[in-house]
Amino acid sequence: MTELKESMQKAHARLKKRRAAEKRFKMFGVGALAFAFLCVLMLFTSIISNGYTGFKQSYIQLDFVMDETIIDPDGSRDPAKMRFSNYNALVKTALKTKFPDVTNRRDKRKLYGLISSSAGFDLRDMVLNDPSIIGTTQSVWVMASDEVDMLIKGVFDRTQPESTRPISNAEIAWVETLEKEERVESRFNTNFFTSGDSREPEQAGIQGALVGSALTMLVTLALSFPLGVMAAIYLEEFAPKNKFTYLVEVNINNLAAVPSIVFGLLGLAIFLNLFGMPRSAPVAGGMVLALMTLPTIIIAARAALKSIPPSIMEAAIGVGASKMQAVFHHQLPLALPGILTGTIIGMAQALGETAPLLMIGMVAFIADVPSTPFDPASVLPVQVYLWADSPERAFVEKTSAAIMVLLGFLITMNALAVLLRKKLERRW
């Protein structure tokens, strides 16, 4: 009786110990999830707090005298001649007319700095679109400079000493005068989505990087998807099971874990130096990213093919289909949801890659929007890298805003992969 009681006590102690260990494990799991969620929340909070202002841009309204002696001195109304007129002189005249008390050369330079250098180009486009405005006075909203934009958005504290901020008291006084006259307003920054890169922060946009990313992803998908699926089908269904195919399979699995910069070095040595492909072009970047994405697609496609019950193949062959017909007419359609899911995840990974593209020269400053895969281009991750290295304060919000756009694409692609899996996946 005593021995039975002692054994029950020991069993109870062991059970209590196991339950305590299980409770501790659950607590560690909950703590790990909470810590991970907190880190993600801090990351998103930092990006959004710095980047949401990048979707706004400050504008200043000025009255411009479209002086015919400057725009069209010979009266020919020739667009080719008017295109190269000194429109910046009109901008300076408008500012001097608005603030006639500014006579010092140094103060004039600061005064002219209130307006973005794009104002002259805006006036040029207005004149070329409607030459009838020559000789009239036009009230036009023009883009503020990056420092004035930061001041209006509250990034620069007006109450701080002048020596601690990059904008002077005189410039603040001019801006406040314009604000009192309701000549300052903030608008949605459409220029951010419709312009290419620029040295001036207020003029910089992501259109060039977006188009470059789209062209690069098209090249990547066109190369990696058919090659990856065909390789998976061959290895899974047709390749003989020997040491060579085993070695190929091992290397494919190893390639999926190779650092991405290695693929960039490979692309630099093969595509650029050996084949002479254009540097900083989407076609070269797409080929490099295709090499990086191939192992992911092959592994996902093989897993999808393995998940199909063997009875599908056996039934097709049993009614007279060849093995190729059984694979392409029966197995492949059923495995397609899993293959597409793996492909989308691989493409999302490729969209966020920077290191391999830096190695093939896609870090160059490209202001123009590419029209073909052979034109020089940048991509969103590289654009973020370039802006993050810029010293101007306005590029901080541009960087965060571009990261928000990139994260939006990545989240959308991963959500699409999950939806495809849930909608099309079959459980056997």
Side-chain angles (χ1 to χ4, degrees), residues 388-409:
D389 198 41
S390 299
E392 291 88 348
R393 175 60 181 80
F395 273 121
V396 173
E397 66 174 20
K398 296 283 184 180
T399 302
S400 297
I403 291 174
M404 291 171 66
V405 174
L406 180 61
L407 286 176
F409 278 112

Side-chain angles (χ1 to χ4, degrees), residues 337-338 341-342 345 416-426:
T341 300
I345 293 174
L416 180 62
V418 173
L419 290 175
L420 278 175
R421 179 182 297 173
K422 288 187 175 182
K423 187 174 181 62
L424 302 176
E425 186 178 34
R426 294 188 181 184

Side-chain angles (χ1 to χ4, degrees), residues 23-84:
K23 188 176 181 180
R24 285 196 304 270
F25 179 77
K26 289 181 179 180
M27 290 177 60
F28 288 147
V30 172
L33 288 175
F35 179 74
F37 177 77
L38 181 63
C39 290
V40 173
L41 182 63
M42 291 174 60
L43 174 64
F44 275 82
T45 302
S46 174
I47 292 173
I48 294 173
S49 62
N50 287 322
Y52 80 96
T53 54
F55 298 106
K56 291 183 178 182
Q57 177 61 44
S58 301
Y59 285 81
I60 295 176
Q61 186 185 43
L62 292 174
D63 298 325
F64 296 95
V65 178
M66 301 299 180
D67 192 345
E68 187 173 5
T69 60
I70 295 176
I71 300 174
D72 189 23
D74 58 2
S76 64
R77 295 295 192 266
D78 184 1
K81 293 181 179 180
M82 292 191 296
R83 180 178 295 275
F84 298 101

Side-chain angles (χ1 to χ4, degrees), residues 45 120 127 168 221:
T45 302
V127 171
S168 66
L221 182 63

Side-chain angles (χ1 to χ4, degrees), residues 204-346:
I206 61 172
Q207 185 185 21
L210 280 175
V211 175
S213 293
L215 293 173
T216 302
M217 290 297 102
L218 284 175
V219 174
T220 302
L221 182 63
L223 293 175
S224 61
F225 182 72
L227 289 176
V229 174
M230 292 300 102
I233 291 174
Y234 175 75
L235 289 173
E236 191 63 31
E237 303 296 341
F238 297 99
K241 305 302 180 184
N242 52 34
K243 292 182 179 180
F244 176 75
T245 55
Y246 175 75
L247 181 64
V248 171
E249 292 173 0
V250 169
N251 281 297
I252 289 173
N253 293 328
N254 289 336
L255 283 174
V258 169
S260 59
I261 196 170
V262 175
F263 293 99
L265 292 171
L266 178 64
L268 176 64
I270 303 298
F271 301 141
L272 268 61
N273 295 340
L274 184 61
F275 295 151
M277 300 191 69
R279 183 179 294 270
S280 190
V283 63
M287 293 178 72
V288 171
L289 294 180
L291 291 177
M292 191 190 75
T293 311
L294 264 174
T296 303
I297 295 178
I298 293 173
I299 293 172
R302 292 191 66 188
L305 290 169
K306 284 180 180 178
S307 66
I308 306 302
S311 57
I312 301 292
M313 169 83 73
E314 295 169 358
I317 294 175
V319 295
S322 65
K323 187 170 185 180
M324 183 167 290
Q325 288 175 324
V327 170
F328 283 93
H329 294 176
H330 300 277
Q331 273 198 306
L332 186 59
L334 295 174
L336 197 58
I339 295 174
L340 291 177
T341 300
T343 301
I344 293 172
I345 293 174

